[in-house]
Amino acid sequence: MRKPEAAWQQWLRSSISIFRKDWHSELRTRYAISALVMFVVTTISIMVFALGSESAPVDVLSGMLWVVIFFAAMSGLSRTFVAEEERGTAMTLQLLTSPSAIYFGKLFFNLVLMIGVNTFTVLLYAIFLNGFIVKTSSIFIITIALGSIGLAASSTIIAAIIAKANTKGTLYPVLSFPILLPLLLTCINATRLATEGAFLNEATGEFQFLVSYIVVVVTASSVLFEYIWKD
Amino acid sequence: MNVFKTVLFVWMTAVIVLALGLPMVAQPSTWYQFPIIPALEEKARIMFFHVPMAWLSVVAFVSSMVYGIKYLRKKNLDDDVRSASAAGLGFLFCFLATATGAIWAKFSWGTYWNWDPRQTSIFVLLLIYGAYFALRSAIEVEEKRASLAAVYSIIAAVTMPFFMFIMPRILSSLHPEPILNTEGKVHMNTTMLIVFLSSLAGFTGLYFWMWRLQVRIQTSHLNRIN
């Protein structure tokens, strides 16, 4: 006879199935992936055309990198929750499993999406914008990783909020921007450090900040998600 | 209530008259003279009005959040009315603090806006208030609107402290800090401090009075609809 599952095992299993469900439906329609990829390609080509043969200072380019990442996140990450409302499957999900399992499943999905898109953005950036030279790659990689996690954490909870509102598209960046601004400013600062060739330990303050931001936002979201999700 | 209104009226009139009327001298010798704070001079008088505005925009934000949490616990729409009214007043005071600050900056720094950390953080507070009202107007069902607005204000409140922490690392501030400065020194004499604290108390009283009025207006609207 199989042992009955502990509560946390059940929770883990449901959040993994939520993630897999979203993953499969994403692979079937490729809605978020194509939107995000096309957004990044369009934005970076506009930047390249606008610059022409000029080369922008590296400070400006590291700021612009986060502008591209922010708006890319805004164009694709709300999909997970908005799709549930549009398909009318939110109610079914509500019956099936606990809110926190749903939250963490969706968060994990957005995180994977965000890390994929950011890697792609950085690759395009490195190929097309020759002025962008990273001297300390360890700082840069950690910043991109922590920045992706932080962006996914904040935008998941805001996406859950706007999925219930009437004007879904326009409201998303409006609500996210004040929440994400501390994160973006820190990431821009850390990216600048990486391009200036600072040592890894000079960016410790930025990393501590990013980690605590992620912990606070994820904790608050996991507590508050229940109130958004339950009608 | 009428007594409260009269007292508040007399109190605020006294504060305004004293704040604008008392002379500023280099070495105050009697009780009715303000000292001249270096680099601020006559422009220091703005703090009797500007600081209470900034203080109230934070007080209103916190009270809006507290009533938001209360709503989430009890699901009583009266708490949402209190929360939304506090946010409305907070937006007003936040705007006034920004405007008075910008006018002062024009005369002290030479430009209305230069993205000083204080200006940036009050700008973010304005953005949060704006986003809060945009969210409220986008949801029609009252219960849904109340709980989503409450959740948003809590999320915004937990990320605000990060902002206070990160800004000084990026830019240094030129904002004068006559009370809360790093040396812990008060540049004001007793008279100035008393007028300042009375102004703070008076404006806080004014805020609570306006809040009460606003709640009564909104509640009667709500009752008429239902």
Side-chain angles (χ1 to χ4, degrees):
Chain A
M1 210 179 93
R2 272 177 65 195
K3 261 199 304 186
E5 281 184 326
W8 71 268
Q9 279 174 319
Q10 210 175 356
W11 174 87
L12 193 68
R13 212 162 47 93
S14 355
S15 43
I16 291 172
S17 10
I18 295 281
F19 169 74
R20 286 183 48 195
K21 171 193 85 69
D22 276 344
W23 186 249
H24 283 303
S25 79
E26 180 55 45
L27 285 185
R28 197 172 298 154
T29 62
R30 296 191 196 84
Y31 181 96
I33 293 177
S34 42
L36 284 165
V37 165
M38 284 320 291
F39 184 90
V40 170
V41 170
T42 324
T43 319
I44 291 184
S45 38
I46 290 174
M47 276 177 68
V48 171
F49 294 144
L51 284 171
S53 53
E54 309 273 327
S55 70
V58 74
D59 275 11
V60 175
L61 287 179
S62 46
M64 286 306 291
L65 174 67
W66 287 96
V67 174
V68 176
I69 290 176
F70 171 73
F71 281 105
M74 290 302 103
S75 70
L77 291 196
S78 68
R79 192 63 203 158
T80 42
F81 285 106
V82 173
E84 301 287 355
E85 297 291 328
E86 279 173 1
R87 287 193 303 247
T89 44
M91 208 64 107
T92 327
L93 265 189
Q94 234 182 76
L95 291 172
L96 281 173
T97 182
S98 70
S100 89
I102 295 171
Y103 171 71
F104 280 98
K106 300 273 185 194
L107 173 66
F108 194 54
F109 176 72
N110 272 350
L111 184 60
V112 170
L113 209 58
M114 205 63 236
I115 287 180
V117 168
N118 287 354
T119 317
F120 179 66
T121 312
V122 169
L123 273 178
L124 280 192
Y125 227 73
I127 295 169
F128 290 113
L129 293 155
N130 299 323
F132 188 68
I133 297 155
V134 174
K135 289 191 182 130
T136 321
S137 40
S138 53
I139 296 183
F140 186 67
I141 291 167
I142 298 174
T143 309
I144 292 286
L146 290 176
S148 308
I149 302 173
L151 261 169
S154 306
S155 35
T156 305
I157 191 77
I158 303 292
I161 293 178
I162 63 132
K164 306 278 181 189
N166 300 333
T167 49
K168 295 176 173 65
T170 38
L171 212 52
Y172 195 34
V174 172
L175 292 189
S176 307
F177 182 66
I179 312 286
L180 280 172
L181 195 58
L183 177 97
L184 290 174
L185 287 172
T186 318
C187 285
I188 292 171
N189 218 20
T191 313
R192 220 198 52 233
L193 284 177
T195 55
E196 281 169 356
F199 291 109
L200 186 58
N201 57 5
E202 285 176 63
T204 325
E206 267 73 17
F207 296 152
Q208 282 168 345
F209 175 89
L210 290 174
V211 170
S212 43
Y213 178 92
I214 293 164
V215 170
V216 166
V217 170
V218 170
T219 316
S221 308
S222 60
V223 174
L224 293 169
F225 181 70
E226 204 186 321
Y227 297 104
I228 304 172
W229 186 244
K230 286 203 168 149
D231 281 311
Chain B
M1 202 57 202
N2 269 324
V3 183
F4 177 73
K5 264 196 285 190
T6 321
V7 170
L8 191 64
F9 176 74
V10 175
W11 183 279
M12 288 311 290
T13 314
V15 164
I16 292 169
V17 168
L18 291 177
L20 296 180
L22 293 189
M24 281 190 163
V25 293
Q27 295 292 330
S29 48
T30 47
W31 66 268
Y32 58 81
Q33 285 171 331
F34 288 154
I36 290 177
I37 299 171
L40 285 176
E41 289 124 28
E42 285 288 336
K43 282 170 288 197
R45 292 185 198 277
I46 194 181
M47 78 177 180
F48 297 117
F49 308 104
H50 172 72
V51 179
M53 305 286 165
W55 152 252
L56 284 179
S57 58
V58 175
V59 168
F61 187 71
V62 172
S63 33
S64 168
M65 189 193 71
V66 167
Y67 276 97
I69 295 173
K70 242 182 168 166
Y71 174 81
L72 290 181
R73 294 174 73 99
K74 302 251 173 66
K75 301 282 173 190
N76 179 1
L77 273 179
D78 291 342
D79 287 329
D80 179 55
V81 168
R82 290 194 188 95
S83 176
S85 311
L89 289 174
F91 184 68
L92 172 73
F93 283 114
C94 195
F95 178 76
L96 287 175
T98 316
T100 49
I103 293 169
W104 175 85
K106 176 70 184 167
F107 291 99
S108 282
W109 300 338
T111 123
Y112 288 111
W113 204 265
N114 68 341
W115 297 108
D116 187 85
R118 293 296 186 94
Q119 287 183 319
T120 315
S121 33
I122 204 150
F123 171 69
V124 173
L125 194 57
L126 269 177
L127 279 184
I128 291 177
Y129 276 125
Y132 176 87
F133 289 114
L135 176 65
R136 286 190 76 90
S137 61
I139 308 164
E140 271 156 25
V141 187
E142 278 157 9
E143 284 79 15
K144 200 85 234 170
R145 178 171 61 207
S147 51
L148 292 185
V151 168
Y152 184 70
S153 67
I154 297 167
I155 298 271
V158 296
T159 51
M160 254 327 244
F162 286 106
F163 208 78
M164 303 298 176
F165 171 78
I166 192 68
M167 278 322 285
R169 286 178 67 93
I170 298 175
L171 301 154
S172 59
S173 180
L174 295 170
H175 194 283
E177 293 168 84
I179 335 163
L180 299 165
N181 52 13
T182 39
E183 304 114 69
K185 228 166 53 187
V186 178
H187 292 294
M188 298 190 269
N189 69 355
T190 324
T191 322
M192 210 170 188
L193 198 62
I194 288 172
V195 175
F196 174 72
L197 292 177
S198 319
S199 171
L200 214 55
F203 272 105
T204 311
L206 190 70
Y207 161 72
F208 279 104
W209 178 59
M210 286 165 84
W211 191 13
R212 224 185 93 108
L213 274 183
Q214 195 66 27
V215 168
R216 275 167 60 191
I217 295 168
Q218 296 301 330
T219 316
S220 69
H221 270 298
L222 203 70
N223 292 341
R224 203 189 303 157
I225 292 165
N226 293 337

